């Protein structure tokens, strides 16, 4: 099996918001195809497209009505083929979002094959809560069906062999069309406790936290038996890439490697406080937990979480980029983070309040995403690809080029001053990141290869500065 993804950098494209080719204000596949050279020149190796399937868009494509077609808003299967062909020509791989846990409630299966879904005879049998809040059961007449997410997203019953076969056929359909792999959505949810036991209360729950966190999802996620399905998915996906969306503790996450996923997404940076010590501990815990032969990966942002530039501020977002792109393991970059896009305070359409991090890509000082009215407003357009006034894009390009020199090298924490995170990659490269707004001493001497400030530096660490050194 080729392991191209080990040294690769992934770029997540939120399809609705990347590039609109027909002026309807919604991004589409032809728009993406036209921008692939930008993606290649950025220096990434693979794109992951959020769901392209026909969908009533209640959860923007994660509510699928046909797994083997393209939503007309985004184009056609021919447009998909054209995108894949162009990407491959440019040396970019294409990863599809595969949504196995649920369908839309208007998917024909829901009426034609209700037995493919998780029904209970009677009113809601337990306390299970939807990820988006509220009860996870919807009563219809005498019966209730389970939905981990929206009421309009009934969960499939993965204990039904017919469901497994039908959903494996979906993978085969796209594999034949030439995709390079899948990001498997909501994988941890596929199996639920057959006894339908109540989930226990979460002792760490505090007011203000999302309702979903009031319970520990012991009986609704990450069941031991799930690994059997992970292995089946692995077998069907064959020699292509299997990325898994699994929000679980580090120790549990490692089981997904054993099951056969090559990249069980490591989301822990998203929830770790932005402090040198906390991040250093996280890296060490994660590195130590990796089973033999498992390759690490890191995620700093995605379409479900606030953007990094909003979370840590513009200055630290540069340090964060250096962290993501110099750690050992495959990074996934969220579109727009490479120019420092921020969350846009808007609440128009997403049921879970995620519009702010999904706004249109800022190509030019006029926007440049569409000739029409964008489906969500732009953010601060002084941040854009064309101008790159803060050289955030330039920094990303430099980092992406530089990392090729040490992508496979080992990780070793270096001792550093308070507020500084420092590590070596192999024998000859060191990274020192100042997570504070004050100057700090450098932990090691060496020749400056790159500073997040792009100019000067390396006698010490300036405020909010990260450096890569040759040691
Ligand atoms: C995943 C997706 C998210 C979606 C959910 C339901 O978490 O990333 O956007 O709402 O699954 O499919």
């Amino acid at each position: 099996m080729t392991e191209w993804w080990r040294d690769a950098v992934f770029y997540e494209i939120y399809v609705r918001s990347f590039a609109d080719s027909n002026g309807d204000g919604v991004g589409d596949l032809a728009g993406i195809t036209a921008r692939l050279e930008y993606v290649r020149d950025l220096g990434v190796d693979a794109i992951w497209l959020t769901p392209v399937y026909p969908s009533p868009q209640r959860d923007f494509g994660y509510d699928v009505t046909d797994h083997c077609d393209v939503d007309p808003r985004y184009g056609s299967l021919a447009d998909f083929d054209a995108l894949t062909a162009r990407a491959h020509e440019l040396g970019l791989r294409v990863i599809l979002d595969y949504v196995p846990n649920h369908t839309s409630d208007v998917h024909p299966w829901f009426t034609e094959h209700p037995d493919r879904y998780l029904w209970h005879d009677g009113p809601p049998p337990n306390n299970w809560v939807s990820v988006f809040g509220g009860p996870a059961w919807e009563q219809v007449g005498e019966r209730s069906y389970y939905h981990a997410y929206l009421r309009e997203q009934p969960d499939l019953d993965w204990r039904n062999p017919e469901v497994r076969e039908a959903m494996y056929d979906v993978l085969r359909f796209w594999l034949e069309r030439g995709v390079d792999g899948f990001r498997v959505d909501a994988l941890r949810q596929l199996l639920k406790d057959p006894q339908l036991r109540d989930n226990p209360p979460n002792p760490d729950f505090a007011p203000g936290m999302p309702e979903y966190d009031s319970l520990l999802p012991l009986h609704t996620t990450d069941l031991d038996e799930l690994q059997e399905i992970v292995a089946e998915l692995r077998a069907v996906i064959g020699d292509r890439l299997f990325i898994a969306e699994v929000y679980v503790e580090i120790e549990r996450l490692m089981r997904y490697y054993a099951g056969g996923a090559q990249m069980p997404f490591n989301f822990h940076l998203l929830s770790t406080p932005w402090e040198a010590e906390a991040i250093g501990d996280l890296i060490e815990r994660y590195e130590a937990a990796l089973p033999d032969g498992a390759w690490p990966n890191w995620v700093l942002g995605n379409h479900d979480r606030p953007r990094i530039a909003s979370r840590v501020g513009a200055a630290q977002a540069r340090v964060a980029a250096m962290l993501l792109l110099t750690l050992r393991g495959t990074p996934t970059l969220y579109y727009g983070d490479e120019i420092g896009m921020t969350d846009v305070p808007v609440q128009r359409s997403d049921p879970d309040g995620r519009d702010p991090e999904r706004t249109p890509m800022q190509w030019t000082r006029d926007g440049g995403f569409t000739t029409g009215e964008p489906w969500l407003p732009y953010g601060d357009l002084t941040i854009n690809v064309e101008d790159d006034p803060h050289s955030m894009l330039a920094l990303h390009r430099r980092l992406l080029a530089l990392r090729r020199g040490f992508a496979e090298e080992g990780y070793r924490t270096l001792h550093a001053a308070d507020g500084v995170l420092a590590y070596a990659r192999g024998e000859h490269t060191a990274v020192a990141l100042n997570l504070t707004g004050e100057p700090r001493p450098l932990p090691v001497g060496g020749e400056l290869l790159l500073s997040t400030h792009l100019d000067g530096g390396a006698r010490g660490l300036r405020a909010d500065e990260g450096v890569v050194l040759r040691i």
Side-chain angles (χ1 to χ4, degrees):
M1 190 183 303
T2 67
E3 301 204 322
W4 61 268
W5 41 270
R6 287 173 61 116
D7 292 350
V9 178
F10 287 69
Y11 185 74
E12 177 187 357
I13 294 183
Y14 195 69
V15 173
R16 283 182 78 82
S17 297
F18 196 61
D20 171 24
S21 71
N22 62 3
D24 66 357
V26 172
D28 49 45
L29 298 183
I32 295 171
T33 306
R35 293 290 189 178
L36 285 176
E37 277 177 44
Y38 164 81
V39 176
R40 193 262 326 259
D41 292 346
L42 178 60
V44 303
D45 306 277
I47 53 171
W48 146 34
L49 303 175
T50 54
V52 297
Y53 319 104
S55 157
Q57 308 283 327
R58 301 300 301 253
D59 189 15
F60 296 112
Y62 288 98
D63 47 332
V64 179
T65 56
D66 180 352
H67 295 92
C68 298
D69 205 347
V70 169
D71 192 291
R73 295 173 189 88
Y74 298 151
S76 61
L77 279 171
D79 292 322
F80 181 83
D81 292 342
L83 185 158
T84 309
R86 181 68 183 134
H88 287 166
E89 235 170 66
L90 292 169
L92 293 166
R93 315 261 181 165
V94 178
I95 305 299
L96 213 60
D97 214 314
Y98 170 67
V99 189
N101 181 64
H102 43 265
T103 71
S104 160
D105 62 341
V106 295
H107 190 298
W109 289 355
F110 199 50
T111 35
E112 287 164 22
H113 298 283
D115 50 308
R116 292 188 180 175
Y117 295 82
L118 202 62
W119 287 92
H120 173 71
D121 287 326
N126 58 30
N127 69 349
W128 294 353
V129 171
S130 141
V131 175
F132 294 149
W137 294 95
E138 178 74 7
Q139 189 164 356
V140 183
E142 305 281 281
R143 308 172 75 204
S144 308
Y145 68 85
Y146 176 77
H147 56 92
Y149 294 89
L150 294 177
R151 176 193 305 141
E152 294 88 351
Q153 290 168 298
D155 275 43
L156 288 164
D157 177 7
W158 272 77
R159 294 181 195 276
N160 178 345
E162 200 182 294
V163 166
R164 293 198 195 187
E165 256 335 292
M167 288 307 294
Y168 297 153
D169 280 346
V170 170
L171 291 171
R172 294 183 187 109
F173 175 87
W174 293 103
L175 287 168
E176 274 170 32
R177 283 205 113 79
V179 304
D180 299 289
F182 300 94
R183 174 262 189 193
V184 180
D185 183 69
L187 179 60
R188 69 183 181 137
Q189 324 263 13
L190 292 193
L191 289 179
K192 295 67 155 160
D193 179 27
Q195 298 174 50
L196 305 178
R197 282 170 288 186
D198 273 356
N199 274 328
N202 174 5
D204 298 327
F205 181 70
M209 284 164 68
E211 186 189 354
Y212 181 69
D213 295 333
S214 62
L215 304 174
L216 296 174
L218 212 66
H219 298 305
T220 42
T221 69
D222 194 29
L223 267 55
D224 289 342
E225 328 152 60
L226 182 59
Q227 294 309 319
E228 187 190 309
I229 295 178
V230 174
E232 288 181 12
L233 287 167
R234 163 80 278 144
V236 180
I237 294 171
D239 62 357
R240 316 285 169 91
L241 180 63
F242 177 178
I243 303 177
E245 188 209 24
V246 265
Y247 283 91
V248 292
E249 292 298 309
I250 287 177
E251 291 65 31
R252 304 283 299 183
L253 185 61
M254 297 305 157
R255 296 153 18 113
Y256 291 79
Y257 281 109
Q262 293 116 325
M263 272 175 65
F265 261 150
N266 167 13
F267 293 120
H268 292 274
L269 268 183
L270 296 171
S271 49
T272 300
W274 199 251
E275 291 157 13
E277 201 181 305
I279 296 172
D281 287 351
L282 164 66
I283 301 168
E284 297 234 340
R285 273 204 299 132
Y286 177 72
E287 283 274 352
L290 284 166
D292 278 353
W295 183 248
N297 74 81
W298 296 94
V299 176
L300 196 61
N302 63 31
H303 64 287
D304 294 326
R305 297 294 159 120
R307 282 194 181 269
I308 185 71
S310 291
R311 198 181 132 209
V312 303
Q316 281 294 318
R318 304 175 81 86
V319 176
M322 187 170 274
L323 173 71
L324 176 71
L325 298 176
T326 59
L327 281 173
R328 192 176 81 101
T330 303
T332 300
L333 189 63
Y334 185 46
Y335 86 97
D337 281 355
E338 77 274 25
I339 53 172
M341 276 173 59
T342 56
D343 290 342
V344 180
V346 55
Q347 186 41 55
R348 198 178 272 177
S349 38
D350 177 57
D352 199 34
R354 296 166 296 184
D355 287 348
E357 61 261 30
R358 297 174 174 183
T359 57
M361 180 67 176
Q362 297 169 190
W363 294 103
T364 65
R365 69 196 73 147
D366 305 317
F369 158 75
T370 179
T371 54
E373 188 61 28
W375 76 285
L376 287 178
Y378 292 111
D380 171 5
L381 283 175
T382 64
I383 296 171
N384 67 76
V385 170
E386 193 180 49
D387 295 336
D388 192 29
H390 309 294
S391 304
M392 185 66 160
L393 184 56
L395 173 65
H396 275 82
R397 289 194 174 124
R398 296 275 299 273
L399 279 166
L400 283 159
L402 195 59
R403 80 183 302 282
R404 301 200 181 269
F406 54 82
E408 287 278 343
E409 302 282 357
Y411 170 92
R412 182 165 48 93
T413 305
L414 297 175
H415 184 72
D418 269 2
V420 175
L421 174 63
Y423 45 90
R425 295 296 313 281
E427 294 303 309
H428 302 295
T429 311
V431 179
L433 307 171
N434 183 356
L435 271 68
T436 78
E438 293 139 30
R440 287 284 187 270
L442 273 173
V444 283
E447 176 202 343
L448 178 70
L449 296 179
L450 183 62
S451 157
T452 49
H453 292 16
L454 295 177
D455 62 334
R459 268 188 290 277
L461 283 169
R462 292 171 282 180
D464 301 306
E465 183 178 31
V467 295
V468 183
L469 303 171
R470 187 188 312 279
I471 50 173

